[in-house]
Amino acid sequence: MTMATVTVRYFAGARAAAGLSEETVPAGRTLDGLLTELAERHGRLVPVLAVANFLVDGVTCHDRDKPLPAGVTIDVLPPFAGG
């Protein structure tokens, strides 16, 4: 039996802080619950998570208390510098 999972992809400064570009985590938690786990797992990621935007399958997540369904992809997008 395979475990239901969620894929988390890190971009730019989030990738540098997490030390990887992507990871898979168990499904069934809310976005806020997932962020708490990621902060505990990757301490350097904490300040990035505080200012990042989050996409769930390409759509901005507005309800951080709704359980994330299995199979979705979460994109962690820190603010980008522009010029």
Side-chain angles (χ1 to χ4, degrees), residues 23-56:
E23 67 182 309
T24 303
V25 297
R29 69 199 74 202
T30 65
L31 180 60
D32 279 341
L34 173 63
L35 298 179
T36 298
E37 178 184 328
L38 296 176
E40 291 170 357
R41 187 180 295 180
H42 310 289
R44 292 181 52 214
L45 195 54
V46 172
V48 177
L49 295 175
V51 296
N53 289 310
F54 306 95
L55 302 181
V56 178

Side-chain angles (χ1 to χ4, degrees), residues 2-82:
T2 59
M3 181 173 61
T5 60
V6 168
T7 300
V8 180
R9 299 188 305 184
Y10 301 103
F11 294 87
R15 179 176 34 232
L20 64 164
S21 61
E22 183 176 298
E23 67 182 309
T24 303
V25 297
R29 69 199 74 202
T30 65
L31 180 60
D32 279 341
L34 173 63
L35 298 179
T36 298
E37 178 184 328
L38 296 176
E40 291 170 357
R41 187 180 295 180
H42 310 289
R44 292 181 52 214
L45 195 54
V46 172
V48 177
L49 295 175
V51 296
N53 289 310
F54 306 95
L55 302 181
V56 178
D57 280 347
V59 178
T60 301
C61 182
H62 295 289
D63 185 356
R64 294 168 62 135
D65 294 323
K66 181 180 175 185
L68 298 167
V72 298
T73 298
I74 309 300
D75 293 330
V76 180
L77 304 170
F80 292 96

